Amino acid sequence: MRGENLPEVSVIGLGYIGLPTAAVIARSGMTVHGVDVSQTVVDTINRGEIHIEEVDLDGLVQGVVQRGLLRAGTEVRAADVFVIAVPTPFHKDDAHTPDTSYVLEAARNVAAVLKAGDTIILESTSPVGTTEAMRDMIAQARPDLKLPGMTDGIPDVSIAYCPERVLPGRILEELTNNDRSIGGITPRCARKALSFYKRFVRGTCVTTDARSAEMTKLVENAYRDVNIAFANELSIVSDAMGLDVWEVIRLANRHPRVNILTPGPGVGGHCIAVDPWFIVHGAPDQTPLIRTARGVNDSKIHHVIASAAELVEANPKARIACLGLAFKANIDDFRESPARLVAATLARRYGERVNIVEPYAMELPREFEGTGAQQIDIDTALEECDVMIVLVDHEVFKSVPLAERADKVVYDTRGIWPDQPAVAEPAVELRKAG
Ligand code: SAJ
């Protein structure tokens, strides 16, 4: 312990959640030992640098490393509080079976250095029951310790589940200001974890049991997935009926109790398209709505590919610009991105006719190699391309005035240009065709 009894903290997993979390904890004055399996990640952090992009994270990490509050390594060391933030993907089988092996492996490593009085907190999005499974794994590894829920007396260690709920692009702000649900294996565990979070979270921290907290996290993302699916289904219906979905949603949302989300080329990222499967897997017969929503959002990608291909083929001489590769606006995260999948499919089919505009990418991802597709900037696209396929609602695209795009054939999957005149069918005469 340092100074006025500040706990020493170990954060296991230094990715998109773990690193910002470690840095914010360190900023509050606690000494943090970060753990990651990748030596490169560890070396980068120990130089005061970062391996991921997130607003303001570089300065924060540099500061806490310089002050000696954050240090990274590949081995779990003794600490007072362990925060586990490792990935929980699912297996690519039909049942979408959750893969909690990284969580259990982290718990096994923690067990080796655990001492009476310690607190272990799982933050990774996890299927219901994972925190208890983690406890069982620790019980097996450390029969010398009394574990919560397994002893009549006061347990030696506290174990809790506290999901992160931060939005990529706003992680540092949301880590501090969002409310937190803290689920203990026992109420005492929850209180122990609560006293830790109160040191660096300004939002309200609410205590509950571990299983409810696990379900709460899954429900939050499934709620969003279902609502985006509704918007995406409306867009497919509107296409079939020849309606402008943006106009329909705009009007419907004037109702005081209606708030339809925004259609897009599908749902990307690592959370909303994944977490609902954890609920479906846990209760396959009780989740028709959640499962269907997943299907609707996945099928939207194919609807967009088909509609874009139709437009490209209807304009055989046109040069095409795909605007955006990121999984959502104003970030440089291209993993699990529907926009990237759409653009790459078009690049493979139509080769050098296709141009990609992605201000957040230094170069095109590997799957574009050999397709003939080029990366160009937005100004070149506006000068040289005739067909614009909007896949991401980056601010820089939104701000293009009508005068610069009025003569383009536009397929706007994000509704960023509501003033764009509709294109006459069949294909228009193209300005730069030929
Ligand atoms: N999207 C739409 N239409 C919308 C909103 C989003 O198509 O109206 C798409 C986005 O373009 C993107 C995907 O959905 O492809 C997800 O984007 P997002 O901004 O809704 O969410 P994420 O994945 O960046 O972060 C979510 C957040 N969860 C909720 O808002 C309920 C975040 O708070 C969680 O912490 C994060 O998942 C996580 O780590 O679980």
Side-chain angles (χ1 to χ4, degrees):
M1 300 257 188
R2 280 165 47 101
E4 37 101 22
N5 276 353
L6 285 179
E8 279 184 19
V9 182
S10 175
V11 176
I12 299 150
L14 296 173
Y16 277 84
I17 300 302
L19 180 56
T21 303
V24 166
I25 297 170
R27 180 175 62 189
S28 76
M30 291 179 261
T31 307
V32 180
H33 181 249
V35 181
D36 201 280
V37 287
S38 160
Q39 187 65 51
T40 320
V41 166
V42 165
D43 293 342
T44 306
I45 294 167
N46 286 338
R47 284 198 306 272
E49 294 167 13
I50 58 174
H51 62 291
I52 53 171
E53 282 295 323
E54 179 57 40
V55 177
D56 296 338
L57 184 62
D58 47 359
L60 177 60
V61 168
Q62 189 187 37
V64 289
V65 169
Q66 264 170 11
R67 286 161 63 203
L69 290 167
L70 174 63
R71 187 89 202 141
T74 54
E75 303 288 327
V76 177
R77 288 210 215 131
D80 304 305
V81 179
F82 297 88
V83 177
I84 299 176
V86 294
T88 42
F90 57 73
H91 294 291
K92 295 259 149 50
D93 55 9
D94 286 346
H96 296 86
T97 312
D99 176 3
T100 54
S101 59
Y102 300 103
V103 171
L104 297 179
E105 172 66 10
R108 205 172 57 78
N109 292 331
V110 169
V113 296
L114 204 56
K115 61 184 186 318
D118 289 353
T119 303
I120 307 162
I121 300 160
L122 176 60
E123 284 211 3
S124 312
T125 303
S126 299
V128 174
T130 307
T131 311
E132 287 165 350
M134 200 175 82
R135 183 265 324 267
D136 294 347
M137 142 88 66
I138 295 169
Q140 252 186 3
R142 292 295 303 272
D144 57 311
L145 290 173
K146 287 198 284 277
L147 291 175
M150 295 178 125
T151 172
D152 290 337
I154 294 179
D156 289 323
V157 296
S158 300
I159 302 179
Y161 181 73
C162 179
E164 58 77 20
R165 36 164 66 138
V166 292
L167 200 67
R170 291 168 47 90
I171 292 183
L172 292 183
E173 204 237 297
E174 293 208 353
L175 258 180
T176 316
N177 294 318
N178 285 2
D179 293 352
R180 305 288 298 240
S181 317
I182 302 176
I185 296 256
T186 65
R188 192 172 185 277
C189 294
R191 287 195 300 277
K192 206 59 198 304
L194 174 70
S195 66
F196 169 65
Y197 281 100
K198 286 221 150 165
R199 293 179 182 276
F200 60 94
V201 170
R202 254 186 252 137
T204 307
C205 298
V206 182
T207 56
T208 181
D209 62 280
R211 291 170 70 86
S212 299
E214 288 163 342
M215 187 60 168
T216 302
K217 169 69 191 187
L218 304 180
V219 162
E220 288 165 4
N221 281 348
Y223 166 84
R224 197 143 166 94
D225 198 44
V226 168
N227 282 280
I228 298 171
F230 183 71
N232 277 335
E233 184 160 297
L234 285 186
S235 75
I236 296 172
V237 170
S238 299
D239 282 356
M241 292 182 170
L243 289 163
D244 177 354
V245 69
W246 311 104
E247 177 72 355
V248 171
I249 291 178
R250 214 171 8 254
L251 294 173
N253 280 351
R254 298 190 76 87
H255 186 290
R257 283 172 298 282
V258 174
N259 184 16
I260 301 169
L261 293 182
T262 318
V267 171
H270 328 282
C271 310
I272 293 186
V274 174
D275 301 356
W277 287 120
F278 291 4
I279 305 180
V280 173
H281 186 263
D285 297 332
Q286 287 77 32
T287 43
L289 176 65
I290 297 173
R291 184 196 297 266
T292 302
R294 271 286 69 245
V296 168
N297 284 332
D298 280 346
S299 74
K300 182 66 195 290
I301 302 177
H302 303 290
H303 174 82
V304 168
I305 291 173
S307 307
E310 212 174 288
L311 194 65
V312 173
E313 279 164 28
N315 296 280
K317 294 188 177 154
R319 286 190 68 191
I320 297 123
C322 292
L323 303 194
L325 293 178
F327 88 83
K328 64 177 191 175
N330 308 323
I331 62 169
D332 71 341
D333 192 340
F334 309 111
R335 301 168 304 163
E336 310 298 330
S337 167
R340 175 173 165 179
L341 185 67
V342 172
T345 307
L346 296 176
R348 271 194 302 276
R349 274 192 212 165
Y350 305 109
E352 58 195 23
R353 287 180 63 202
V354 176
N355 299 277
I356 311 293
V357 184
E358 179 45 270
Y360 288 86
M362 304 288 281
E363 55 186 26
L364 291 181
R366 218 177 289 149
E367 69 267 28
F368 288 86
E369 265 170 36
T371 60
Q374 295 284 324
Q375 185 176 13
I376 59 174
D377 62 23
I378 183 70
D379 293 330
T380 313
L382 289 165
E383 276 160 34
E384 296 181 4
C385 294
D386 318 284
V387 172
M388 316 283 271
I389 299 171
V390 180
L391 298 171
V392 184
D393 43 344
H394 288 319
E395 224 32 73
V396 54
F397 301 154
K398 276 190 185 171
S399 64
V400 175
L402 177 61
E404 290 188 54
R405 53 181 160 80
D407 60 343
K408 308 290 181 195
V409 178
V410 171
Y411 177 30
D412 182 0
T413 71
R414 296 278 186 175
I416 63 168
W417 292 335
D419 53 358
Q420 186 72 29
V423 176
E425 299 278 352
V428 292
E429 235 355 88
L430 291 168
R431 190 172 50 93
K432 290 190 184 247

